[in-house]
Amino acid sequence: MGDSEKKLDLSIVKENRLIRFAVITLSVYLFFRFIFPLTAPFFFAFILITLFYPLLQRIQKKIPMRKKFLAFGVLFLVLLFLAAILWALGYSGGGQLDKVSVFMEMAYERLQGFLHQCCYSLDGKFGWDGYEIENFVIEKMTVIMENVQVQVIPQVLSSSYSCFKAIFEAVAFLFISFLAAILLEKDYALFLTWLKGSEDMTFIFKALEGILEYIITFLKAQGVILLIISVFSSAVLWATGIYGGVFWGILAGCLDVLPFIGTGVVLVPMAIWQFLTGKYIQMGVCIALYIACIFIREFLEPKLIGNKMGIAPVLMLLGIYAGIRLFGVIGIIEGPLALIVIHELMKV
């Protein structure tokens, strides 16, 4: 096949958006399926150095020091900050995990009392026998609770090896990423100059520029929103007197990055529990906090991101769902990231 035929084939792919979309989607899928898991720390390192490179340049103007040492200092502080957050969440979460069985027993007792009141109010109405309904439901609940105590809880408590393995992998990932970022800093400017100046790499540079701008904008915005919602939720839950309020507030803030469901994963079940325990004020606070967090995100996101993203929230939700189906739990990250790459490559 001659050069003219190759150019003709490429022009057909570029002009036909459907074919182009299919080719790009398949290529991105194969990349994230087979290549990205092996190179993820280095891509993360590239994002880190892109994020902090302007800061390093400003610091170097004030402090005459080599960027390599400045990069090490800045990234080390970031690593300490992340480690402190992970340790705090792990320590608080471990304390909550120890009380899982006690919590389940309390929940069962509270739910049984609530059920008794409901069945008592229904007794004799509509021709129903409230006590028969109560006995039937309690029998089924007892079977469910026994299965949970015998199977689920022991498995959760005995999964220390899996937890240790996951923690070790996360620490190794961060260590390799930070080390790669420090080494990459030396050649970062040369690498960008080569990409800009090479005609063969123009396509890659334009796509990479859009992808990095998208990711950095998203990370900055989500970091600010996560911090505000975590602090706000922790303060409200702690002031309300809810046990473990600081931990649950931070967890709710972290989960708020998920589209639509967000803090509801934590606050809605917490509101139901407060209702079952008769703490109606705390229940109202949890519901009000959930609504407030939604409004905080809806207010801050346009301010911090504006129209820079260009992807509808429903498509981001689709990206998360497809990512989980294709790549497992890590698809929560890989799915939206793959969607961003496809979006930017289609624009080039």
Side-chain angles (χ1 to χ4, degrees):
M1 184 180 293
D3 293 338
S4 61
E5 293 179 352
K6 289 181 180 179
K7 292 179 180 179
L8 180 62
D9 292 341
L10 290 175
S11 65
I12 292 174
V13 172
K14 289 182 178 180
E15 292 174 1
N16 192 316
R17 291 187 63 83
L18 183 60
I19 297 176
R20 187 181 181 189
F21 176 76
V23 171
I24 289 175
T25 302
L26 179 61
S27 302
V28 170
Y29 167 74
L30 294 175
F31 173 80
F32 277 92
R33 185 71 176 181
F34 299 106
I35 299 177
F36 185 76
L38 303 176
T39 57
F42 303 95
F43 281 101
F44 184 62
F46 189 79
I47 293 173
L48 277 177
I49 202 64
T50 302
L51 186 63
F52 288 105
Y53 198 77
L55 175 63
L56 295 176
Q57 288 182 317
R58 289 196 296 268
I59 294 176
Q60 193 178 38
K61 290 180 181 179
K62 298 179 180 180
I63 303 175
M65 187 181 297
R66 295 177 62 181
K67 279 198 183 76
K68 179 170 65 175
F69 299 109
L70 291 175
F72 176 80
V74 171
L75 294 176
F76 182 71
L77 291 175
V78 173
L79 181 61
L80 284 180
F81 178 72
L82 291 176
I85 293 177
L86 291 175
W87 178 84
L89 287 175
Y91 180 80
S92 301
Q96 300 294 325
L97 188 62
D98 291 338
K99 299 177 177 61
V100 169
S101 59
V102 178
F103 173 79
M104 294 299 293
E105 291 178 2
M106 289 176 60
Y108 177 71
E109 292 176 0
R110 299 290 184 180
L111 188 59
Q112 191 175 19
F114 176 74
L115 177 64
H116 176 74
Q117 292 294 330
C118 291
C119 294
Y120 178 78
S121 62
L122 289 173
D123 187 41
K125 297 180 181 179
F126 310 107
W128 294 347
D129 188 339
Y131 295 103
E132 287 186 4
I133 297 174
E134 181 180 6
N135 291 332
F136 175 78
V137 176
I138 288 177
E139 181 181 349
K140 297 301 180 183
M141 286 175 54
T142 302
V143 174
I144 293 173
M145 290 298 299
E146 288 177 353
N147 290 332
V148 169
Q149 290 180 345
V150 172
Q151 298 179 11
V152 178
I153 293 178
Q155 289 180 3
V156 172
L157 296 178
S158 64
S159 59
S160 56
Y161 172 75
S162 300
C163 292
F164 177 78
K165 182 180 177 182
I167 293 172
F168 178 78
E169 290 177 352
V171 171
F173 177 87
L174 289 175
F175 177 76
I176 294 173
S177 298
F178 279 89
L179 184 61
I182 293 171
L183 297 175
L184 179 63
E185 179 278 327
K186 179 181 178 182
D187 301 317
Y188 178 76
L190 293 176
F191 177 71
L192 289 184
T193 303
W194 173 70
L195 278 180
K196 292 178 182 178
S198 177
E199 294 183 0
D200 297 332
M201 294 298 172
T202 303
F203 173 79
I204 296 177
F205 175 75
K206 289 182 178 179
L208 184 62
E209 190 176 30
I211 292 167
L212 287 176
E213 182 182 0
Y214 192 109
I215 292 173
I216 291 172
T217 301
F218 179 80
L219 289 178
K220 285 181 178 179
Q222 296 305 324
V224 172
I225 295 172
L226 184 150
L227 180 62
I228 291 174
I229 291 181
S230 296
V231 173
F232 177 66
S233 301
S234 299
V236 171
L237 295 177
W238 175 78
T240 309
I242 294 176
Y243 178 76
V246 175
F247 168 75
W248 295 116
I250 295 175
L251 183 61
C254 293
L255 292 176
D256 187 67
V257 73
L258 298 176
F260 185 69
I261 48 178
T263 52
V265 177
V266 174
L267 296 177
V268 171
M270 186 175 292
I272 295 173
W273 170 248
Q274 301 304 319
F275 174 75
L276 292 176
T277 55
K279 299 177 181 179
Y280 301 114
I281 295 177
Q282 286 84 345
M283 179 200 71
V285 169
C286 291
I287 295 174
L289 179 60
Y290 177 44
I291 296 173
C293 290
I294 294 175
F295 278 103
I296 289 173
R297 170 167 288 278
E298 292 300 319
F299 175 77
L300 290 177
E301 212 163 38
K303 300 289 185 182
L304 297 173
I305 297 176
N307 297 321
K308 296 180 181 179
M309 302 298 277
I311 298 179
V314 67
L315 292 180
M316 292 299 292
L317 183 61
L318 174 62
I320 292 176
Y321 175 76
I324 294 174
R325 296 287 295 178
L326 293 173
F327 307 116
V329 177
I330 194 65
I332 295 176
I333 298 174
E334 290 188 2
L337 187 57
L339 183 64
I340 293 168
V341 174
I342 294 171
H343 178 263
E344 291 299 324
L345 290 176
M346 287 295 294
K347 287 167 54 178
V348 176

